[in-house]
């Protein structure tokens, strides 16, 4: 439909936080997405109606950041809100929480919807760049991993910096995962700043952790390519340990990770900024996915059952 655009949610399978320091990461779009719809508005301004289902307080806490993000994207696209009154409505089946790429999904959806509404015909690369500008409103200096997954879909090897890379990792079929939500809104900016501070204080300790994180990314890529999901799971467990060591996990995240592993998940770790937000468990097959999701829900947490590695058409 004219003036509509979508952006996928995402889950980081390997190396959130480390990716900020140019270490490779593996991220996947998930089957859930945000839709943005644009209509003419009779006042010379932008009206934003946010109908997404969300963790309590999420939308309120992110409102200023959301407005900043929108301003940045409109400026990058040379759209003057005082000349073009528009109403943007956000909806879709992506439950909005920390760690699921909600901000990036909304940026990509809005960029695509604006491109379509104003007949700009922008490429994926251009959409990705605009969404990255929008992400700055939420994150300060985002690595770009979220908006990349949200724009392109699929399972992606992502590295920023001098060795910048965005490559699809092809899977023969999508793999089931469970995402567990702590119900706590996490502040990614603060989590990233905390890592920076501690890294400066203890450079040697952090260097060793970062080196291992880099190894894990390459091992995980190989394991995915060989479709050795047991190995992927083991590496996810180890990745969680490293994230604990840089102090971005939390009691709830560790608890849910344990629940998932005890219920048979091949691996489990926090995903995204940490300190709340979400965890992810690798659960190939619907049966294992249900078992793990039930174990987490029994303790009162919400889950999302979805897949990683679906191409844009399948998602
Ligand atoms: O909190 P999320 O899901 O947006 O993930 C942030 C990922 C980080 O690596 C912690 C930060 C970044 O910019 O990559």
């Amino acid at each position: 439909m004219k003036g509509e655009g979508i952006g996928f949610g995402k889950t980081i399978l390997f190396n959130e936080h480390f990716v900020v320091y140019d270490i490779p990461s593996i991220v996947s779009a998930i089957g859930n997405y945000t839709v943005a719809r644009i209509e003419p508005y009779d006042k010379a301004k932008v009206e934003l109606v946010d109908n997404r289902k969300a963790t309590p307080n999420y939308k309120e806490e992110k409102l200023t950041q959301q407005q900043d993000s929108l301003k940045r994207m409109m400026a990058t696209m040379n759209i003057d809100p005082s000349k073009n009154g528009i109403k943007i409505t956000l909806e879709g089946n992506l439950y909005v929480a920390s760690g699921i790429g909600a901000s990036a999904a909304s940026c990509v959806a809005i960029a695509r919807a604006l491109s379509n509404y104003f007949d700009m015909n922008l490429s994926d690369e251009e959409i990705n760049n605009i969404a990255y500008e929008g992400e700055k409103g939420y994150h300060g200096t985002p690595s770009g991993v979220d908006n990349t997954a949200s724009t392109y879909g699929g399972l992606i090897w992502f590295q920023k910096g001098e060795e910048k890379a965005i490559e699809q990792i092809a899977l023969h079929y999508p793999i089931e995962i469970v995402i567990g939500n702590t119900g706590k809104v996490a502040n990614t900016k603060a989590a990233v700043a905390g890592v920076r501070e501690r890294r400066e204080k203890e450079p040697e300790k952090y260097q060793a952790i970062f080196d291992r994180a880099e190894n894990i990314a390459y091992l995980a890529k190989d394991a995915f390519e060989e479709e050795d999901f047991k190995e992927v799971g083991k590496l996810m467990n180890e990745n969680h340990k490293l994230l604990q060591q840089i102090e971005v996990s939390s009691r709830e995240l560790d608890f849910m990770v344990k629940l998932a592993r005890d219920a048979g998940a091949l691996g489990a770790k926090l995903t995204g900024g940490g300190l709340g937000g979400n965890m992810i468990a690798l659960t190939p097959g619907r049966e294992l996915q249900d078992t793990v999701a039930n174990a987490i829900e029994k303790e009162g947490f919400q889950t999302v059952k979805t897949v990683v590695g679906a191409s844009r058409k399948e998602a």
Side-chain angles (χ1 to χ4, degrees), residues 5 8 28-29 33 52-53 74 98 107 134 136 146 151 157 186 188 198 222 230 238 248 254 258 264 284 302:
F8 296 103
S28 182
Y33 52 83
R52 296 172 301 166
K53 287 206 175 71
M74 306 265 292
S98 299
C107 290
K136 288 184 185 167
D146 286 15
T151 301
W157 173 265
T188 299
R198 291 187 291 277
D222 287 348
K230 265 201 175 142
E238 200 190 330
V248 292
D254 290 344
K258 184 170 179 328
Q302 267 182 345

Side-chain angles (χ1 to χ4, degrees), residues 11 30 175-179 280-283 289 304-306 308:
T11 184
I30 57 171
I175 306 300
E176 288 79 8
I177 59 161
V178 176
I179 295 174
I280 171 184
L282 189 68
T283 55
Q289 186 184 40
V304 175
K305 290 187 271 186
T306 185
V308 294

